[in-house]
Amino acid sequence: MNALRGQLELWRLHLAVIVLGAIAELIGIQKIPFGIGAILLLPLLYAFVMAALMNPNIMPKFGKFIRQKEVKAASPLIVIAIMPFIAKFGTTIGPAINTIIDAGPALLLQELGNLGTIVLAFPLAVWGLKMGREAIGATFSIAREPNLAIIADRYTLKSPEGTGVMGVYVIGTLFGTFIFAILASLFASADIFDPRALAMACGIGSGSMMAACTGALTEVIPTMKDEILALAGASNLLTYATGLYAGLFIALPIVEKLYNATAGKNDIATANKKEA
């Protein structure tokens, strides 16, 4: 009863979700030609943009309707809202188990892509943006929930490393779905990569990003809908299963050593200057 009463007190939040969802569905899917491909704008993207603009921290004038109480309550509800979608993926994996087995080696090896943040993001963070130890938390992974747990356990989220991982987590939550939907529709319509490879790339360990990515792919290639959903779901499951260990035992130690061997020397020099 207390839980029900608490949700009734959040009627503003639920009303906003219903209204924004209805508006997004009425707008529908919009296709924008772009070079050799096309960008698909999905209802999920419209809802995301409108909801972000209603955040009182971004648009203070909405603070009279959406209060900090609703903002705080919305975060855990995201996980609940995405559960039916994840359950649907589970029902597609079973019937397509032969397809998943056939893609076995590729499905496993593509998980090494999770280490790509070290190659691409670490140099930019340390040498380009001149970040301190925040770079360790920001670049050892894509900063989803399992990665937050690793940093929280190793350093605490109040540490510089915690600040780095939380920063990437927030940016990924805000813009990840938008970017994934655009990239997926662009690559799929351009016919550069195998649709199965794009489907596996959707499963990076984020339910919302996977939803946006697979939604765009199935709109471009509707004949492969079941196969796309099955491969993306299996890839996402593997990422959750292996990503934690890859981040803890491979990625994080590598980033720590790289930082200590490069930027760490500058930290020591700066500290010595302050002491002097």
Side-chain angles (χ1 to χ4, degrees), residues 74-263:
S75 296
L77 289 177
I78 295 175
V79 179
I80 298 174
I82 206 70
M83 280 182 179
F85 191 81
I86 301 300
K88 180 182 178 182
F89 272 102
T91 64
T92 62
I93 292 176
I97 190 64
N98 290 330
T99 301
I100 294 172
I101 292 174
D102 292 339
L107 197 59
L108 291 173
L109 290 175
Q110 64 99 28
E111 295 302 318
L112 295 176
N114 290 329
L115 303 179
T117 55
I118 301 174
V119 178
L120 299 175
F122 181 80
L124 178 62
V126 173
W127 296 309
L129 301 178
K130 306 297 181 182
M131 292 175 63
R133 293 190 64 84
E134 291 84 359
I136 295 176
T139 64
F140 90 102
S141 68
I142 59 168
R144 303 324 297 163
E145 286 80 2
N147 311 117
L148 291 182
I150 292 174
I151 295 298
D153 181 68
R154 180 70 66 89
Y155 303 102
T156 77
L157 293 179
K158 293 183 179 180
S159 65
E161 294 83 358
T163 300
V165 73
M166 281 302 299
V168 176
Y169 177 80
V170 170
I171 293 299
T173 301
L174 290 175
F175 301 107
T177 54
F178 184 77
I179 293 172
F180 258 62
I182 289 178
L183 290 179
S185 62
L186 185 60
F187 284 132
S189 58
D191 197 23
I192 299 175
F193 299 102
D194 190 300
R196 292 168 295 179
L198 294 176
M200 287 187 283
C202 289
I204 66 165
S206 169
S208 58
M209 293 183 195
M210 182 181 65
C213 184
T214 53
L217 286 181
T218 54
E219 285 296 328
V220 177
I221 318 170
T223 56
M224 295 183 64
K225 180 177 180 180
D226 291 340
E227 190 172 357
I228 288 171
L229 294 178
L231 288 171
S235 175
N236 206 56
L237 183 63
L238 279 174
T239 300
Y240 268 118
T242 62
L244 179 66
Y245 300 104
L248 181 60
F249 298 114
I250 301 176
L252 188 56
I254 290 176
V255 171
E256 286 180 330
K257 288 183 179 179
L258 287 174
Y259 183 84
N260 291 333
T262 56

